[in-house]
Amino acid sequence: MLLFSIHILTLMGASFSMGGVSNLYLKHRTPILREMLLFLLSLMLITAGFAMMTFPPGLSPVAGSIRILMSLFGGGLNVYVIPRLASELCDIPLNRGFRMLHALFSASFIFLGIGFFLVPSGLWILTVLLIMQIVAIAGGIGFIAIKTGGLRKRWWYPALRVFLLGSCGFLLLLCGDIVITLVPINSFSFLDNLSLPLYLLFLSFGIFVFSANYLSRGSLISELRLTSDCVEYYKLSTRETELIELLLQGLSNRSIAEKLFISPKTVENHLYNIYQKFSINSRNQLLHLLLNWKNG
């Protein structure tokens, strides 16, 4: 009963947070909010499935099937959204090869999930699904950990570090949950299935605060022109501002050089300085950052 109460309170808190983030997303349509919303939804579905496991004995077959479906759908959505969320948090678009690999990984998870739903006694399938879930979470954490070094100048860097540490803690607790479940350890049984509710509470509060902070900042572009907030925040010169706005129009380095009456080498030098100010490494990353900040 205690574990069931914890799950219900967690779901209530997450529902409140998700409602707030949904409202913000409907108003601003930013990709990073969309991925946060899907990530939060996936955890809520998994948590709801675990909560139903704590129901009194005698659960009807229909309710049992709903529990399995919620857990599997939440797990599949979680596997799908983690790389996308990591990409948005780090402002690094996923390349085509990785997107194809990710699609194959997600499809495999869904296929195995359907197999487990049809044959619930196939415990080996459940084991594989759990391993895939851990791989997806660990991969997202690893990606963010590797890329955070280049994000030290971003205003959300402290929040990203907190998210990273909380996710690492969740991964350790999740592995502990699995061990306690597969190899019953009576002295630690009170910790079983607690990792997800705790992590969901942590994320519910963190995502809501992050979203509000994110949206309190001005847009970076408006009608393919940099806003004063953007110019001021990144300390851009007049020439750098002109050059970025031409990039937003799709001009090549040579075309920009001709339009500004400067050499292609000077354009490259300006671009290098711009990349340093934005803490990025390429034109694609710059365009991704500008176009996805508030214009998703």
Side-chain angles (χ1 to χ4, degrees), residues 106-273:
S106 300
S108 300
F109 188 96
I110 294 171
F111 178 77
L112 288 171
I114 293 173
F116 180 74
F117 177 72
L118 296 176
V119 189
S121 58
L123 294 181
W124 70 269
I125 300 179
L126 179 60
T127 303
V128 173
L129 289 172
L130 289 172
I131 292 174
M132 293 179 72
Q133 194 87 54
I134 292 174
V135 168
I137 295 171
I141 291 174
F143 180 83
I144 295 173
I146 292 172
K147 300 300 181 180
T148 48
L151 300 171
R152 295 181 185 277
K153 296 180 182 179
R154 306 294 177 84
W155 64 266
W156 68 85
Y157 177 72
L160 191 59
R161 288 189 62 186
V162 173
F163 172 76
L164 186 61
L165 291 173
S167 298
C168 288
F170 164 66
L171 186 60
L172 292 175
L173 288 173
L174 178 61
C175 291
D177 267 359
I178 294 172
V179 170
I180 293 172
T181 300
L182 298 179
V183 184
I185 304 174
N186 294 332
S187 57
F188 292 99
S189 59
F190 67 96
L191 295 175
D192 196 14
N193 291 330
L194 272 181
S195 60
L196 191 57
L198 293 176
Y199 186 55
L200 187 53
L201 280 175
F202 162 77
L203 284 179
S204 298
F205 177 76
I207 286 179
F208 191 79
V209 172
F210 180 87
S211 302
N213 192 18
Y214 176 83
L215 291 171
S216 69
R217 297 177 177 267
S219 298
L220 296 184
I221 63 173
S222 176
E223 298 180 354
L224 298 184
R225 296 185 64 85
L226 300 186
T227 63
S228 58
D229 285 335
C230 178
V231 174
E232 181 180 353
Y233 181 75
Y234 288 103
K235 297 180 174 57
L236 300 172
S237 66
T238 301
R239 178 63 80 188
E240 289 169 345
T241 301
E242 292 175 337
L243 195 148
I244 292 174
E245 289 175 348
L246 292 174
L247 281 179
L248 288 169
Q249 296 174 28
L251 273 63
S252 65
N253 286 6
R254 182 174 295 278
S255 298
I256 291 173
E258 294 174 355
K259 196 168 186 67
L260 297 179
F261 303 104
I262 56 179
S263 69
K265 180 63 177 177
T266 302
V267 172
E268 292 178 4
N269 291 336
H270 281 308
L271 282 176
Y272 175 79
N273 293 330

Side-chain angles (χ1 to χ4, degrees), residues 86-98:
S87 170
E88 292 297 335
L89 287 173
C90 295
D91 270 329
I92 300 176
L94 300 174
N95 60 48
R96 183 179 179 183
F98 184 87

